[in-house]
Amino acid sequence: MSNRNGARSGIVNVAILGCGRIAHHMAQTLQGMSRDERYSDLIRPYAVATRADESRARAFADQCGFPHAYGSYEDMLADPEIDLVYIATPHALHADQAIACMQAGKNVLVEKSFTANETQARRVLDFARQTGLTCTEAIWTRYMPSRQLILDVLGSGEIGTPRQAYANLSYPVSGKARMTDPAMAGGALLDVGVYPINFIAMAFPDAGIERTVSSCTLTDRGVDEQFSATFWLDNGVSATIDSSMVSVGSRQGVIQGDAGYLIVENINNPERIDVFDKDHRKVRSIDVPKQITGYEYQVVSAAKAILDGHVECPEMPHEETLRIMRVMDSLRAQWGEVYPFER
């Protein structure tokens, strides 16, 4: 079986562009999916590529059970058997690499942040619409079942009318070169801050931002080290977020209403949702479904979009990717943070 997006026989051959930490996490996911009867007829781990280092690519492929390894991105993109490329490189490279993949006829799953700014994102998504290829952002929390579980609590009225929200994600990751390099769009915002922003956007999908107040500390190289922001939404909710690449954070998401509140443990990969009444008594705890790693949901969505001939995934439509990029651009504008390639 084939379709206009190129997948054959209902099985999507997945390749990984890049061999860093997050690429290994995706490789582990794909291997787990290939052994899971829920996904084994949909997904096949196929290839991995690095830039000018075939021995590293081969070691990665052997370790992770991928049959093909390429020492250049160009060689991998020339393989006609590849249906979907997962892009696992620094933010500043995403736009050009996504377009190169689509020029080669490959659908793309682009690791968050989708690109370094909205202008780049529009260029990528315009190209996807022109080619008819599937292109979607790999912000895994958007695809997880926990998203609907949170919305179900809010819709139940258990916490009353939401009035305040808070979300944090912070990790001490400033030792990684890409995190501190402005040329790679380094900083806390695009790497960890994108999750609290998405948490608020998913909890209140129909709300717009009326006003934003934010501040940050910049490193001596000019990238944001840690920041906080408060968004006043047009539904009456004030939402405060913070992120840091130099501290350990609570990773919690909290939504407070006039009759109670909920707490999400680990907004980066939700583990549990606790619901409390107005007297701070825990009403119930909601566990999320067991998963391989949590990455499988975005892979399934991308594969189904390919097989159905869709250019985007319903969990993260193109307009929503653009909206999140626009929010992050506006924060950087408040801070005076400009990447070298934007000047």
Side-chain angles (χ1 to χ4, degrees):
M1 169 184 153
S2 64
N3 62 19
R4 68 190 180 94
N5 291 44
R8 293 162 299 281
S9 303
I11 295 182
V12 174
N13 287 336
V14 184
I16 299 177
L17 193 151
C19 285
R21 179 192 61 81
I22 205 163
H24 277 81
H25 202 58
M26 177 58 81
Q28 175 191 354
T29 306
L30 294 172
Q31 271 302 311
M33 295 178 76
S34 70
R35 296 189 295 265
D36 190 314
E37 62 181 12
R38 294 172 296 175
Y39 312 119
S40 58
D41 290 336
L42 178 66
I43 295 296
R44 180 185 292 126
Y46 182 81
V48 63
T50 58
R51 184 171 49 192
D53 192 349
E54 188 171 355
S55 61
R56 185 182 178 205
R58 172 46 58 194
F60 182 111
D62 290 344
Q63 176 188 349
C64 299
F66 282 59
H68 302 280
Y70 294 97
S72 76
Y73 300 152
E74 293 78 13
D75 286 347
M76 186 184 80
L77 294 180
D79 187 335
E81 297 299 311
I82 293 171
D83 301 309
L84 174 64
V85 177
Y86 170 66
I87 296 176
T89 54
H91 314 298
L93 306 177
H94 289 179
D96 288 343
Q97 290 172 343
I99 289 173
C101 288
M102 290 186 284
Q103 285 174 330
K106 313 303 183 190
N107 306 281
V108 285
L109 176 61
V110 185
E111 184 53 47
K112 59 79 199 157
S113 290
F114 186 71
T115 53
N117 56 42
E118 185 191 4
T119 299
Q120 289 185 351
R122 285 194 179 278
R123 183 160 59 93
V124 173
L125 297 176
D126 285 347
F127 199 85
R129 285 188 285 271
Q130 292 166 17
T131 60
L133 292 164
T134 300
C135 176
T136 194
E137 183 175 2
I139 172 85
W140 61 337
T141 51
R142 286 273 180 168
Y143 303 82
M144 291 176 171
S146 55
R147 175 181 180 178
Q148 187 59 49
L149 295 175
I150 295 166
L151 290 174
D152 288 345
V153 174
L154 296 177
S156 73
E158 289 176 83
I159 69 167
T161 301
R163 299 308 302 268
Q164 292 181 304
Y166 166 74
N168 161 269
L169 191 66
S170 298
Y171 294 106
V173 288
S174 58
K176 297 179 179 180
R178 68 175 179 83
M179 293 294 295
T180 57
D181 186 355
M184 288 292 101
L189 176 63
L190 296 193
D191 201 79
V192 291
V194 66
Y195 283 107
I197 293 171
N198 272 279
F199 177 83
I200 299 302
M202 287 188 290
F204 307 106
D206 299 322
I209 298 173
E210 291 185 332
R211 183 165 57 100
T212 303
V213 176
S214 71
S215 62
C216 85
T217 56
L218 297 173
T219 68
D220 56 4
R221 299 181 69 184
V223 300
D224 60 287
E225 186 173 70
Q226 52 189 1
F227 75 90
S228 64
T230 298
F231 306 110
W232 276 265
L233 306 182
D234 58 15
N235 63 352
V237 172
S238 66
T240 298
I241 66 169
D242 56 58
S243 280
S244 171
M245 64 177 182
V246 294
S247 69
V248 178
S250 70
R251 308 184 303 181
Q252 285 188 334
V254 183
I255 301 174
Q256 301 169 168
D258 54 15
Y261 57 96
L262 66 81
I263 299 177
V264 178
E265 293 295 343
N266 189 6
I267 64 166
N268 186 39
N269 186 6
E271 300 160 9
R272 189 181 69 255
I273 304 160
D274 293 326
V275 183
F276 296 83
D277 67 15
K278 63 181 180 180
D279 296 316
H280 306 282
R281 292 181 299 228
K282 186 186 293 186
V283 176
R284 61 185 176 122
S285 288
I286 305 163
D287 292 323
V288 302
K290 290 184 178 181
Q291 56 193 27
I292 298 173
T293 64
Y295 277 27
E296 62 264 33
Y297 304 114
Q298 60 191 349
V299 176
V300 167
S301 184
K304 288 181 176 178
I306 291 169
L307 295 171
D308 293 338
H310 296 158
V311 298
E312 61 186 353
C313 293
E315 297 88 348
M316 192 57 170
H318 291 175
E319 283 303 317
E320 190 65 358
T321 284
L322 291 171
R323 183 167 78 102
I324 298 301
M325 293 307 311
R326 196 155 50 244
V327 169
M328 294 194 291
D329 284 357
S330 71
L331 291 175
R332 288 196 298 116
Q334 287 191 17
W335 309 334
E337 181 178 5
V338 180
Y339 304 129
F341 50 84
E342 294 177 315
R343 295 192 176 98

